[in-house]
């Protein structure tokens, strides 16, 4: 009854109830683990109702609960529910999900190979939905191959070949890079030096079109070690040369910038400084 009430609150009160529902979201999602099908269904319905009314600016606040729902320790019902919620959110707020792709795409890709058919089916649908949030027109024709690659190493090899033929014209931003990360991670860890070389070619092609270092910096902790390892481990001179070229292009795209996350407190202080005496302090 409580979950049904929260769903009704989301539908009836909308944004005015958003702060309270966002705070309650982790517990609502946890209820999708309940043994009772009625409770589980009510939790999913309440979660989807919240997704239907939240602002795109609230997505970042929902991410800890969403990532916990995708984690290895999460139970299958919660994984399935979380995947369905992400799919719904991707349709409503593609830009916000695109921004979060770097944090969630690997987990979603892994679940496309889950042994539970319900989780696997939900993951394939979710992977399709989030890949459509890249905002990159050049990459769009290759997205089905990216989704297929997540499900099989054999498909990964085929996808790498297809991506190598993608001609990038549009500026490459973080969502597009993040979307290809599961494919590149598998490819750069592959035994085949030719597959590694082709992955390095893709990295080089994409990073040449990165204008703002902020777009590539979130991926550097995962992507840079893989490309650097290819430079050190590939024995074929021509393939190693491609890896070296990709590594230099990647470093150039990142520049000398350092990724820093602004806290809510720092953001509030900055806004107050900008507004001066026009700002409102609730403690006053």
């Amino acid at each position: 009854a409580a979950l049904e009430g929260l769903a009704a609150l989301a539908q009836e009160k909308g944004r005015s109830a958003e702060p309270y529902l966002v705070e309650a979201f982790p517990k609502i999602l946890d209820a999708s683990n309940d043994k009772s099908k009625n409770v589980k269904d009510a939790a999913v319905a309440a979660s989807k109702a919240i997704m239907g009314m939240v602002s795109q600016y609230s997505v970042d606040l929902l991410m800890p609960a969403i990532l916990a729902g995708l984690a290895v320790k999460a139970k299958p019902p919660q994984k399935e529910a979380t995947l369905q919620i992400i799919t719904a959110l991707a349709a409503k707020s593609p830009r916000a999900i695109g921004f979060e792709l770097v944090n969630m795409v690997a987990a979603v890709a892994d679940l496309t190979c889950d042994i539970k058919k319900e989780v696997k089916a939900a993951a394939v649908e979710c992977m399709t939905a989030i890949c459509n949030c890249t905002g990159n027109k050049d990459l769009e024709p290759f997205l089905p191959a990216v989704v297929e690659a997540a499900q099989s190493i054999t498909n990964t090899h085929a996808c790498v070949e297809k991506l190598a033929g993608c001609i990038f014209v549009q500026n490459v931003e973080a969502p597009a890079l993040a979307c290809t990360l599961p494919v590149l991670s598998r490819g750069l860890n592959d035994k085949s030096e030719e597959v590694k070389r082709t992955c390095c070619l893709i990295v080089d092609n994409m990073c040449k079109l990165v204008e703002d270092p902020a777009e590539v910096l979130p991926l550097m902790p995962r992507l840079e070690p893989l490309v650097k390892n290819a430079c050190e481990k590939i024995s074929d001179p021509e393939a190693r040369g491609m890896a070296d070229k990709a590594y230099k292009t990647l470093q150039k795209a990142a520049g000398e910038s350092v990724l820093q996350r602004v806290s809510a407190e720092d953001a509030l202080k900055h806004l107050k400084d900008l507004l001066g005496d026009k700002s409102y302090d609730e403690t006053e």
Side-chain angles (χ1 to χ4, degrees):
L3 290 167
E4 292 171 352
L6 289 170
L9 183 65
Q11 293 166 348
E12 294 169 9
K13 298 297 183 180
R15 291 285 174 83
S16 61
E18 182 176 11
Y20 311 105
L21 292 173
V22 167
E23 186 174 354
F25 178 71
K27 292 183 179 179
I28 296 171
L29 189 56
D30 279 344
S32 63
N33 270 329
D34 199 274
K35 294 180 180 180
S36 167
K37 185 178 184 302
N38 290 337
V39 173
K40 174 193 167 185
D41 290 345
V44 173
S47 297
K48 288 183 176 179
I50 294 170
M51 295 305 105
M53 50 70 69
V54 294
S55 158
Q56 63 178 337
Y57 304 108
S58 293
V59 173
D60 191 53
L61 298 174
L62 300 172
M63 283 306 297
I66 288 174
L67 292 176
L70 298 175
V72 175
K73 292 183 179 179
K75 295 178 181 178
Q78 187 174 8
K79 290 178 181 177
E80 183 184 357
T82 304
L83 290 163
Q84 291 173 353
I85 289 162
I86 297 171
T87 300
L89 197 54
K92 180 179 181 293
S93 304
R95 285 178 63 93
I97 289 297
F99 180 77
E100 298 291 351
L101 268 180
V102 65
N103 299 315
M104 74 168 74
V105 69
V108 175
D110 287 345
L111 290 176
T112 63
C113 303
D114 199 88
I115 57 173
K116 294 286 186 180
K117 64 179 183 179
E118 295 85 2
V119 174
K120 178 182 173 68
V124 171
E125 184 180 0
C126 183
M127 188 71 181
T128 302
I130 64 176
C131 282
N132 285 323
C133 296
T134 64
N136 190 291
K137 299 292 184 183
D138 302 322
L139 197 57
E140 280 183 5
F142 302 89
L143 294 179
V146 171
V147 176
E148 290 176 3
Q151 302 171 60
S152 165
I153 189 65
T154 303
N155 293 339
T156 298
H157 291 174
C159 180
V160 166
E161 290 298 324
K162 290 179 181 178
L163 283 175
C166 179
I167 299 173
F168 291 96
V169 178
Q170 181 181 344
N171 289 343
V172 173
E173 298 176 335
L177 287 164
C179 177
T180 62
L181 192 57
V183 178
L184 294 174
S185 296
R186 285 187 182 179
L188 288 167
N189 281 311
D190 199 88
K191 293 180 180 179
S192 168
E193 291 194 347
E194 180 56 32
V195 173
K196 289 181 180 178
R197 178 200 173 279
T198 308
C199 286
C200 289
L201 174 63
I202 296 166
V203 172
D204 186 62
N205 287 343
M206 294 187 76
C207 289
K208 283 177 181 176
L209 273 294
V210 173
E211 284 196 353
D212 186 349
E215 301 297 339
V216 74
L217 284 174
L219 292 100
M220 289 297 281
R222 302 177 195 180
L223 189 55
E224 185 180 25
L226 292 170
V227 179
K228 186 177 181 180
N229 187 60
C231 296
E232 296 171 351
K233 299 292 178 66
I234 292 177
S235 58
D236 179 74
E238 194 276 334
R240 189 170 62 251
M242 185 69 252
D244 289 337
K245 182 181 178 183
Y247 188 62
K248 289 177 182 177
T249 304
L250 179 62
Q251 287 186 311
K252 182 179 179 181
E256 300 296 325
S257 303
V258 177
L259 185 64
Q260 291 183 320
R261 188 175 182 87
V262 179
S263 68
E265 293 77 14
D266 288 342
L268 181 60
K269 182 181 181 302
H270 185 61
L271 285 172
K272 285 183 177 180
D273 290 342
L274 289 173
L275 291 170
D277 57 6
K278 294 180 182 179
S279 66
Y280 169 75
D281 192 334
E282 64 181 1
T283 61
E284 294 179 352

